[in-house]
Amino acid sequence: MVRPFFSAVALDERFVQLERIRIGTRGSPLALAQAHAVRDGLVASAGLEADAVEVVVIKTTGDKVLDRPLAELGGKGLFTKEIEDGLLDGSLDVAVHSAKDVPTVLPDGLVLAGYLPREDVRDAFISLTAKSFDDLPEGGVVGTASLRRGALVKRLRPDLKVVNFRGNVQSRLRKLEEGVVDATLLAMAGLNRLGRPDVATAVLEIDRFPPALGQGAIALEIRADDAATKAALAPHLDKATGIALAAERSFLATLDGSCRTPIAGHATLDGDRLSLHGLIATPDGARVEEQTLDGTLAEADSIGRALGAALKERGGPDFFVDWV
């Protein structure tokens, strides 16, 4: 079942002093679906007319350059910088991001207000000729722009060829139909939000194919001093997702992770306990280090930092070299 992005809630009018809200987003169908969900939620709860909440499409560096692997473009802020520039110059009030795209260090003056309820964190295997990785032919071609996915593919099947595969969901599916690759990988969260879970040939279990840190979560970024917008967003933010992402992002920050580094992980909550599993790999998948740490919800940030430090020590000084 596809979960709603936003729940309809009432907001105490004492905290709202807004005449309009401008929401910055990328222009892909998935990004627009996420932004319009935020827009609809704000219209329903913030006492604003529909035309007072505007969705503004911003083309980011990651959208402009499609013929090169993400790792070659620098790795950090590829899908957020230009939108963040709009927040900083006052032309935007809220930035809607896929959380896995948000760097661990934000520009001065910006903060994450929080996250919408998290979707399915798993990856989908998609192929027109094979039911799973095991069914792909010897030397089959898998397309992905993610070093994490590429490394995990090679870990499972060293014989497979991994090629750079950029573009939005629709363009990747079209390339698959054209036979450019034998298989590709997409986030189940994105397919669910587009109403296309049927596209998945198989859903990959987390223990075999752990997700990107933050996968499945939508992050809302605002100016640090914008109390009115923060108050308008607050009722829609999901506390459990925020706790899980605190652990995952501190883990990523400790490893200084970027698109140049294959890193995976996922935090789960059970009552007042949090468990964080993390993995680092070489891009060829030949070497993998992984570990799990547990603690209380209040320790989310420190659990992430401790796990990052532990895997960094296990990897040693030569693990995180510049692979590009």
Side-chain angles (χ1 to χ4, degrees), residues 146-162:
S146 162
L147 279 185
R148 172 190 62 88
R149 287 173 175 153
L152 293 175
V153 168
K154 297 294 283 186
R155 180 194 191 192
L156 294 174
R157 287 278 307 273
D159 64 289
L160 295 177
K161 181 180 180 182
V162 176

Side-chain angles (χ1 to χ4, degrees), residues 166-177:
R166 296 282 311 282
N168 61 36
V169 171
Q170 290 74 11
S171 65
R172 292 192 223 183
L173 294 176
R174 184 171 60 252
K175 291 177 184 179
L176 184 65
E177 292 172 356

Side-chain angles (χ1 to χ4, degrees), residues 220-232:
L220 304 180
E221 188 177 18
I222 62 174
R223 287 182 293 278
D225 60 359
D226 189 351
T229 298
K230 182 178 181 180

